[in-house]
């Protein structure tokens, strides 16, 4: 019960921070994924028993704070049955003038990202978008989409950086964040 409370409290605090950032003007949204809505099956992973298109949605943001020198993107499922959630996407070193990632920007080859941007390993072990794939029959999982405004142009990370190491470095340089949450579930087979 204590772990559940801690996780719920952290998520509530995180949602509160995102709400504060939104009120301050920094805002992340997607024309493909409605805030607090259900994510379309086309964004589902293709593997692990899932059969989606495994393409990342379009993400847009505006009103980044003064002093932003680059951005990072993260997509996380806190409900994955791992004890630590599941990292679906991490992108760092997005130039400060970036305000959008178009659909399928998370392609494994990175060809749809701005110059200089780097995709890090997700929890599937790939460097790119890893779509939703909760266990069939689970209650809907929550997916947190976040853009981080950073005070550095480039995060120095090893090529094989884990999601946790990337998170540490992102948070060391974060000056603001904005985000939204949406849900996804798979029916039992």
């Amino acid at each position: 019960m204590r772990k559940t409370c801690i996780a719920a409290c952290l998520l509530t605090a995180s949602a509160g921070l995102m709400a504060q950032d939104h009120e301050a003007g920094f805002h992340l949204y997607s024309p493909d994924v409605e805030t607090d809505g259900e994510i379309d099956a086309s964004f589902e992973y293709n593997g692990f028993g899932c059969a989606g298109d495994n393409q990342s949605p379009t993400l847009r943001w505006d009103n980044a704070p003064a002093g932003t020198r680059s951005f990072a993107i993260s997509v996380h499922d806190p409900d994955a049955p791992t004890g630590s959630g599941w990292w679906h996407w991490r992108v760092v070193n997005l130039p400060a003038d970036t305000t959008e990632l178009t659909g399928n920007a998370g392609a494994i080859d990175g060809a749809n990202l701005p110059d200089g941007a780097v995709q890090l390993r997700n929890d599937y072990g790939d460097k790119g978008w890893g779509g939703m794939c909760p266990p069939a029959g689970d209650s809907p999982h929550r997916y947190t989409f976040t853009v981080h405004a950073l005070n550095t142009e480039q995060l120095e990370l090893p090529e094989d950086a884990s999601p946790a190491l990337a998170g540490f470095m992102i948070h060391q340089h974060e000056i603001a964040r904005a985000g939204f949450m949406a849900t996804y579930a798979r029916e039992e087979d």
Side-chain angles (χ1 to χ4, degrees):
M1 174 133 173
R2 183 170 181 215
K3 287 182 184 178
T4 302
C5 177
I6 291 170
C9 292
L10 287 172
L11 287 171
T12 301
S14 177
L17 285 174
M18 288 183 200
Q20 288 173 0
D21 290 336
H22 176 67
E23 291 168 12
F26 193 29
H27 179 227
L28 174 68
Y29 58 99
S30 173
D32 301 328
V33 179
E34 185 177 333
T35 300
D36 296 324
E38 294 180 20
I39 300 170
D40 187 82
S42 65
F43 302 111
E44 184 180 84
Y45 191 64
N46 192 331
F48 280 59
C50 291
D53 295 335
N54 197 43
Q55 294 190 358
S56 58
T58 297
L59 296 176
R60 295 179 179 144
W61 57 95
D62 51 35
N63 299 316
T68 299
R69 298 184 64 202
S70 71
F71 295 99
I73 296 285
S74 61
V75 180
H76 183 253
D77 170 6
D79 301 316
T82 64
S84 61
W86 193 269
W87 291 100
H88 290 269
W89 201 24
R90 288 262 199 202
V91 183
V92 298
N93 302 338
L94 289 160
D97 61 354
T98 307
T99 58
E100 175 181 44
L101 293 180
T102 59
N104 201 28
I108 299 289
D109 65 8
N112 300 332
L113 289 171
D115 289 342
V118 176
Q119 296 186 111
L120 302 173
R121 185 167 43 102
N122 61 37
D123 280 336
Y124 293 109
D126 300 323
K127 289 184 180 178
W129 169 261
M132 293 63 196
C133 189
D138 263 16
S139 297
H141 285 211
R142 297 164 295 163
Y143 294 86
T144 304
F145 293 76
T146 308
V147 59
H148 309 265
L150 306 179
N151 65 4
T152 184
E153 288 182 17
Q154 187 170 5
L155 290 179
E156 298 295 333
L157 289 164
E159 189 172 316
D160 65 343
S162 69
L165 176 58
F168 176 82
M169 294 301 290
I170 288 168
H171 292 289
Q172 292 299 305
H173 293 280
E174 182 178 86
I175 57 176
R177 77 176 78 157
F180 65 90
M181 193 176 294
T183 61
Y184 187 71
R186 291 173 53 217
E187 294 182 17
E188 287 197 55
D189 300 330

